[in-house]
Amino acid sequence: MRRYLTPLLFLSPASALILLFFFTPVVATLLLSFTDLSTTTFRHPSWVGLANYQDLLTDPFLKKILANTAKYVGLTLAFNVGMGLLLALLTSLVPENWGDPFRALWLLPRILPPVVYVFIWQGLLAEAPMGLVSDLLGVSKNWLVEAPWTAVILANGFVGASFGMLIFTSAIRAIPRELFYAAAVDGATTGQTIRRVVIPMLAWPILFVTAYQTLSLLTSFEYILLLTDGGPGFYGTEVWSLHAYHLALSNYFGNVEFGLGAAMAAVLVVIGVIVSLFYLKIFNFRALVTEPKIEV
Amino acid sequence: MALLPRNWPLWLLLLVLITLPIGAGILWLVLTALYNQVHGLIPVGRLAPQHWRFLFEGSVGGRPSIWVALKNSLFFAGTVAVLEVLIASMAAYAISRMKFPLRTPYLGMILTLHAFPAVSLLIAIYYILRVLGLFDTLVGVILVKASLDLPLGIWLMKGFFDQLSWDMEMAALVDGASRWTVFWRVALPLVRPGILALGTFALLSAWGEFILPFTFIVSAKSWTLALYMQSFMKEAFVDYGLMAAVGLFYALPVFLLFLFGQRYLLNIYSGGVKG
Amino acid sequence: MTKGTGVRLERLTKRFGRVVAVRELSLEVAPGELVAFLGPSGCGKTTTLLMIAGIYRPTAGHVYFGDRRVDPLHPRDRDVGMVFQSYALYPHLNLFENIAFPLRLKRVPADQVRRRVRETAELLGIGGILERRPAQVSGGQQQRAALARALVKEPQVLLLDEPLSNLDAQIRLSARAEIRRLQRELGVTAILVTHDQAEALAMADRVAVFSMGELQQYAPPDELYHRPKNTFVAGFVGSPPMNLIEGEFTGDGFRAGGLRLALPKAPTGRGWLGVRPEHLGLGPEGLPARVLVVEPLGREAIVIVELSGHRLQVLVPEDEKPAPDAEVRIAFPTGALHYFDAKGRRIGPE
Ligand SMILES: Nc1ncnc2c1ncn2[C@@H]1O[C@H](COP(=O)(O)OP(=O)(O)O)[C@@H](O)[C@H]1O
Ligand SMILES: [Mg+2]
């Protein structure tokens, strides 16, 4: 057994952190969701079984939040994948010394601090004279309040598009040149080449990006929190994950309903575990594992 | 690539058009930070150094000094990056180059966690941090941030270690090194591109991180720049000029990296970073 | 000169899953001896070497250095030096630091490191390029640097895994002599892995011939050549390889199809008759044969003839080579024949 001491040493910091901040929280989320933990019961939470889940189902706003979530995930996803595809194609259709700077430019929304990024959106959407949109449309309004969904989807979409863009670009670059030459020899137009040669090769990457982003959109709420905080009005853009966060962690309404929030999060956690295990299966990752050649 | 149509300038034009919002946004930020007033994208009036008063005044509206937030942000991002690179490299090295029981399942777990949406765990992590007494401390947030990005880091570094030559590592062992020594003196120096990539990614990601400090930090003395800037957003009257200046100041490292390290950034983010 | 330690392998076995890479290997290397492990690619030579070095753990069996059992030991506690086929120099270090690496790990004082690295490098003729990185020097120089790194810590045992196979043909010959000279001078026990039988015969005191993970024969080059233990060794050692004819021994002769040879004191039963191309005579006497192909090699020529339905290779001096299609006579040298039984084991002559 002494021979496994070294790998154990190498793995222990990572394992400890993963245990502490992945495994424990997964279990804790599930456990907390069965309690009535809240501001008032913080010291003495009691076991309430499935009560939180029942509350969830009977919540009059459940429908609204589900609809919001579907809208947010569906539309943002469509924008992300569509824009990602468009960007990958466009940056591949122009010479590389043009394509690369544009790709880099589209990375900016992703690497800018979210607070700064969202502030820019708020500024652009503000009333005149500040707001560029008001200026251009000639109607001075706070467009964040007028069209909150457009804002939420665009703000998230501009961040998310680069993910698809990069993956699709790699896929396009991996297409053998001979296919393009063959298409050219056959007299295909650019449009035909894209439809017949490029798009078919992107089927798998598109599926991958869609699957991956569905899961991450379902659970992410950082940009909505900053942009509208679920508003305007009552739950205007409140989505499932944000609602869970609000219930459990923001003292917006005074009493923090930790258990109820945990129940909402637990739904996401369970979906997350199942879906990522499913990815693992279709990924065929065993192909990526090779036997080490050193036995000391 | 081999797909360069004769009318590519047309496509370039389309590319420019759909990219305009990004350019407009950045320009708006810069102009708003610099000028007294901006109508749309047209500066009106003179340069406005008063937007930058936060740099000189000890505190703006009862906030801690920006230098405190800057110091916290630097400490936060720096520590997260170092921890993440170090811990991920160690684990990746073991997974890539060592035999031990359950090695394949361990790698499978890392890959699963890489896809798993960690934000859904925030509520439970809040509870755990309180139990550990790490709530409202930078150390706590640092540990959480480093941990949540760890699967990505391990996965990335494993790819780099996989490419090292076995002969060379065997040679080092015969030369008298332990695995630990091989790791530090042979393997790590040779995966420098990976360390740089992961380090840059971790720095950028931690530098911008909002939701974790926002959730787990209360005391203003532990604010990072993200919290400092966000504190202005909640005001009833929004001072756009001041906020743009703060935002520009905060995002400066990102802009610099963008200006001087484009190729490098593209390489890092093409390497399979989470969306 | 201090002599290296002897090496003894005892029923050494290594499995990788289902594959048996090395099976029940026992052999002994005397102190200061140079032994070659010879065999085709994939026969387990490198695996054996890596078990001696301590990189692989034997599935079964033991490794001894002198009287010390070393198979449970970490490589660093075995005192071996090794040169890899790919040289395996550290690309991020210059040649000096590459060679110094084993000494630095032993925490040898800096001035001693400098002296010993210089000495070893001079010995190998690379003293002038120590500041360069591996990628900036030629293959031959990399090979020398790898050898210097293996020798600098004055190991008891030197392991060489195909150290010459990546060199150009011209340098290879001089490198052979160089390694042999160094090894003798330093008195280190050495094991050389190679798939090149000429290299093994030229360099080694004794040669261990492997096939499919099993030791076929372990003997000095002469014996390997003159008394191969089985048809595998007979066919693998020597170039061009020995002619092997399958047929029937009849006690007083050998029969294979239309071929009949009278051999006093021949064994009986089915088996193989072996004869080296250089021992077959082309001349006025002997059995009639027809020339199929003539391959000139310079000083000599390989003549492929057909003799009663069997193809044989004959090595003749260049000026005696016949024309293609010529009718010739083949003389079998009764003193240089090899008999093998149906399983390929040598059965004579004694
Ligand atoms: N680390 C390993 N894992 C699995 N199989 C191996 C490993 N090393 C060697 N083998 C197998 O063992 C056999 C012997 O290999 P090797 O010792 O490298 O042969 P040689 O050096 O004589 O060419 C081969 O079939 C090879 O595929
Ligand atoms: Mg080999």
Side-chain angles (χ1 to χ4, degrees), chain A residues 293, chain C residues 16 19 21 40-47 56:
Chain A
K293 288 195 201 273
Chain C
F16 296 106
V19 182
S41 161
C43 69
K45 309 178 298 285
T46 300
T47 304
Y56 286 163

Side-chain angles (χ1 to χ4, degrees), chain C residues 100-121:
Chain C
F101 193 73
L103 301 180
R104 300 230 188 269
L105 291 175
K106 281 191 182 171
R107 302 187 192 288
V108 174
D111 53 330
Q112 273 192 53
V113 170
R114 217 167 313 130
R115 187 175 51 75
R116 284 169 67 178
V117 172
R118 291 246 163 259
E119 273 174 19
T120 315

Side-chain angles (χ1 to χ4, degrees), chain C residues 90-303:
Chain C
Y90 311 117
H92 60 301
L93 304 177
N94 63 20
L95 294 194
F96 183 95
E97 285 305 325
N98 262 282
I99 300 171
F101 193 73
L103 301 180
R104 300 230 188 269
L105 291 175
K106 281 191 182 171
R107 302 187 192 288
V108 174
D111 53 330
Q112 273 192 53
V113 170
R114 217 167 313 130
R115 187 175 51 75
R116 284 169 67 178
V117 172
R118 291 246 163 259
E119 273 174 19
T120 315
E122 293 303 337
L123 197 63
L124 283 152
I126 49 170
I129 50 170
L130 289 178
E131 296 312 311
R132 301 205 203 151
R133 293 264 177 111
Q136 298 164 327
V137 304
S138 73
Q141 290 165 332
Q142 286 180 26
Q143 190 257 353
R144 281 149 184 272
L147 193 54
R149 181 179 64 182
L151 290 174
V152 76
K153 60 177 179 178
E154 295 166 3
Q156 293 280 308
V157 179
L158 177 64
L159 305 174
L160 305 152
D161 190 359
E162 313 230 5
L164 306 176
S165 66
N166 286 340
L167 294 181
D168 294 339
Q170 305 154 353
I171 335 179
R172 204 178 306 168
L173 286 183
S174 60
R176 267 189 203 172
E178 177 90 358
I179 290 180
R180 185 70 240 225
R181 177 182 66 79
L182 275 172
Q183 184 266 337
R184 283 244 169 80
E185 229 166 75
L186 302 174
V188 59
T189 309
I191 299 176
L192 168 86
V193 160
T194 177
H195 62 262
D196 179 347
Q197 50 95 26
E199 196 170 293
L201 298 186
M203 293 175 71
D205 296 313
R206 280 193 286 173
V207 179
V209 183
F210 287 70
S211 170
M212 313 204 4
E214 290 190 57
L215 182 63
Q216 304 295 315
Q217 185 168 6
Y218 183 38
D222 269 0
E223 191 177 331
L224 223 52
Y225 181 80
H226 291 295
R227 298 179 57 81
K229 235 172 145 178
N230 57 35
T231 46
F232 177 83
V233 177
F236 198 76
V237 174
S239 168
M242 182 185 284
N243 294 299
L244 288 166
I245 309 167
E246 191 174 8
E248 176 113 24
F249 290 103
T250 55
D252 58 353
F254 178 74
R255 221 169 39 208
L259 173 67
R260 264 153 227 275
L261 288 173
L263 304 171
K265 287 200 258 168
T268 53
R270 290 206 65 79
W272 303 77
L273 179 72
V275 56
R276 294 203 178 272
E278 53 271 42
H279 293 150
L280 282 173
L282 215 58
E285 314 257 305
L287 305 170
R290 195 166 58 88
V291 176
L292 297 176
V293 183
V294 179
E295 291 175 10
L297 295 178
R299 215 146 33 89
E300 292 160 325
I302 299 174
V303 182

